[in-house]
Amino acid sequence: MDENNANNFSVEQEIEVNFNNTKCPNCGNNLKFNPETQKLYCEYCDSEIGFEQDSNYQEISLNNAIGVNQTWDSTAKVYICENCNAKIVLSKGETASLCPFCGTAHVISSDELPGVKPNVVVPFMISNSKATDNLKAWAKRKLFAPSDFKKKISPNDLKGVYMPCYTFDSNTYSTYEGRIGVRHTRTVGSGKNRRTETYIVWHHIHGVYEHFFDDVTISASERFTQKQISSLGGYSAQNNKVYEDKFLLGYMAYSSDKAVEPCWNEAKGVIDGNLRRLILSQYHYDVVSYLNVSTTHSNVTYKYVMVPVYIGSYKYGKKMYGFMTNGVTGKTKGKAPVSPWRVLVAVLLGIGLIIGTYFIATASGCLEEASTIAKDAVNLLSNNIII
Ligand SMILES: [Zn+2]
Ligand SMILES: [Zn+2]
């Protein structure tokens, strides 16, 4: 991170050349990636080993998609959760204990090959304990979540997982034609029949539209939806690094369950939606009768990126509640369990508050004031229940 530290570890950096990247050169234990220092560290002897992060990543031409894909098999291993079928990739030498998706311990080693090696990674930037703090803060805001959930969440409940995404760049050239309408009003009739009516003036539009799309991100996993990516605030390309297995040490990666071609088809759908919006934004209109857009893509490139997410789940009653934290920004989203007791107590308190206010106010003779306060109390209560 800072220069002094980098100098302090110049000796280890020399050693680094000769070891296999996964073991501590000092004591031989497994090394882990530390998001806070962006270095490798050994939790047994506190050794820290810096390494160079390369930001000069390559875009891969979509036409070459099949030729350049490196396989991951020499450095990583696949584990499968027997309970939820999640496929997790770990560095060789590490083992998975709990499944980050369902929380069960039915994770078994598999002979399956890990698939395509990512070419870009967004490294974890916040630690597991920081992510846990964020989760606790998020849970605290959930008024009706059970206290167990608010208090007992520990760093063990969150697992750092790299989720696979494809990001596409494309130069688009579109021709379009359509019909849009603008609403106008006019006064018709006379005397008693005089009235204002609305009518639409239609215009035919056509033209050419060119636009460059950069980093259209499509999830390569069914378990990390487009909606989840955006609810976590997405990932900035500023943090992109050339993928190295070192970033994976101490973390898991989710093996993609979608190939590049179907993801590109999804990206085209996203691009098409954006193009329609961009084309229409050039005009003033109230209604669209139809718009036909025909688009040619050229110089399409992609990156296969691993993005960092802390994933956890909490069992309340018979249901599992999942949550996720952005491994860069710490933004947390998920579903919190609802404690029926908390809801009941809130309702009773609310009723008590309304009755109490009514009696106090009637006693002091200001009935009108009492009913306003009681109404406010009801509003406050119903707002909270909606949350
Ligand atoms: Zn060590
Ligand atoms: Zn599972």
Side-chain angles (χ1 to χ4, degrees):
M1 216 96 138
D2 64 57
E3 269 182 40
N4 286 339
N5 278 344
N7 290 338
N8 287 345
F9 296 105
S10 55
V11 178
E12 284 90 340
Q13 278 171 359
E14 269 172 43
I15 299 168
E16 187 199 356
V17 180
N18 300 321
F19 81 116
N20 65 4
N21 293 340
T22 66
K23 301 285 182 205
C24 172
N26 190 35
C27 75
N29 276 300
N30 282 348
L31 288 170
K32 290 184 172 176
F33 177 75
N34 181 346
E36 281 170 342
T37 60
Q38 297 286 303
K39 291 174 182 171
L40 301 182
Y41 79 103
C42 169
E43 54 190 358
Y44 299 94
C45 73
D46 285 337
S47 290
E48 244 189 346
I49 297 124
F51 66 97
E52 194 116 345
Q53 296 190 1
D54 185 358
S55 301
N56 294 317
Y57 55 87
Q58 303 281 311
E59 297 279 344
I60 304 168
S61 163
L62 192 66
N63 298 330
N64 300 336
I66 297 142
V68 293
N69 285 344
Q70 280 181 291
T71 50
W72 221 351
D73 54 339
S74 59
T75 49
K77 183 152 179 53
V78 174
Y79 288 80
I80 294 178
C81 172
E82 288 184 307
N83 186 46
C84 75
N85 282 324
K87 282 182 198 167
I88 304 150
V89 180
L90 289 177
S91 279
K92 273 197 175 150
E94 287 195 57
T95 47
S97 49
L98 292 179
C99 170
F101 297 93
C102 68
T104 63
H106 302 289
V107 182
I108 54 156
S109 157
S110 139
D111 288 333
E112 195 172 309
L113 295 175
V116 180
K117 191 171 182 164
N119 65 321
V120 173
V121 60
V122 176
F124 273 93
M125 291 195 185
I126 60 165
S127 65
N128 195 322
S129 58
K130 176 80 178 72
T132 308
D133 288 347
N134 284 15
L135 179 63
K136 279 184 177 168
W138 169 81
K140 222 175 182 175
R141 294 194 295 271
K142 301 281 168 191
L143 201 61
F144 296 113
S147 12
D148 266 16
F149 177 64
K150 294 177 187 231
K151 286 183 198 147
K152 289 186 183 163
I153 293 280
S154 80
N156 284 336
D157 297 324
L158 278 184
K159 300 274 174 273
V161 185
Y162 282 107
M163 295 303 284
C165 292
Y166 285 100
T167 62
F168 296 94
D169 292 357
S170 174
N171 261 313
T172 61
Y173 178 91
S174 313
T175 52
Y176 64 90
E177 92 39 66
R179 199 163 84 114
I180 56 173
V182 178
R183 270 194 200 99
H184 293 267
T185 49
R186 64 186 162 202
T187 310
V188 292
S190 58
K192 270 189 178 174
N193 286 327
R194 201 175 153 83
R195 63 196 188 277
T196 309
E197 65 170 29
T198 306
Y199 64 101
I200 294 170
V201 175
W202 293 101
H203 301 277
H204 185 253
I205 55 165
H206 62 97
V208 166
Y209 195 87
E210 288 179 81
H211 191 81
F212 173 69
F213 284 89
D214 191 23
D215 285 341
V216 177
T217 304
I218 301 293
S219 168
S221 162
E222 304 290 351
R223 282 166 202 264
F224 192 44
T225 59
Q226 292 302 121
K227 218 175 141 192
Q228 283 167 328
I229 295 180
S230 33
S231 73
L232 290 181
Y235 293 88
S236 159
Q238 273 181 350
N239 302 316
N240 285 351
K241 306 285 175 197
V242 172
Y243 176 83
E244 280 193 64
D245 290 328
K246 285 169 189 163
F247 290 106
L248 199 62
L249 296 175
Y251 288 95
M252 303 176 185
Y254 191 81
S255 180
S256 72
D257 34 34
K258 278 151 77 188
V260 63
E261 290 85 356
C263 289
W264 168 233
N265 285 333
E266 263 182 62
K268 278 193 282 192
V270 172
I271 288 174
D272 197 50
N274 280 313
L275 278 171
R276 299 178 74 83
R277 200 172 39 75
L278 288 165
I279 289 168
L280 287 170
S281 73
Q282 307 172 104
Y283 299 95
H284 166 65
Y285 66 95
D286 296 309
V287 273
V288 179
S289 154
Y290 74 93
L291 177 68
N292 293 326
V293 182
S294 165
T295 302
T296 324
H297 295 268
S298 59
N299 297 328
V300 182
T301 59
Y302 73 93
K303 301 183 291 290
Y304 181 30
V305 189
M306 285 287 168
V307 299
V309 193
Y310 283 102
I311 295 175
S313 51
Y314 181 85
K315 196 172 182 193
Y316 187 72
K318 281 180 182 162
K319 269 179 87 177
M320 289 299 281
Y321 295 84
F323 31 80
M324 290 181 168
T325 296
N326 186 318
V328 175
T329 62
K331 190 169 180 189
T332 302
K333 281 281 162 180
K335 281 207 168 79
V338 172
S339 154
W341 294 109
R342 281 180 163 257
V343 176
L344 183 67
V345 168
V347 169
L348 291 178
L349 278 176
I351 293 171
L353 187 68
I354 294 162
I355 295 172
T357 325
Y358 183 80
F359 275 112
I360 292 165
T362 341
S364 61
C366 39
L367 194 58
E368 203 179 315
E369 182 67 8
S371 82
T372 329
I373 298 173
K375 264 184 216 157
D376 284 349
V378 172
N379 282 340
L380 182 77
L381 188 69
S382 58
N383 282 342
N384 274 329
I385 288 175
I386 290 162
I387 293 163

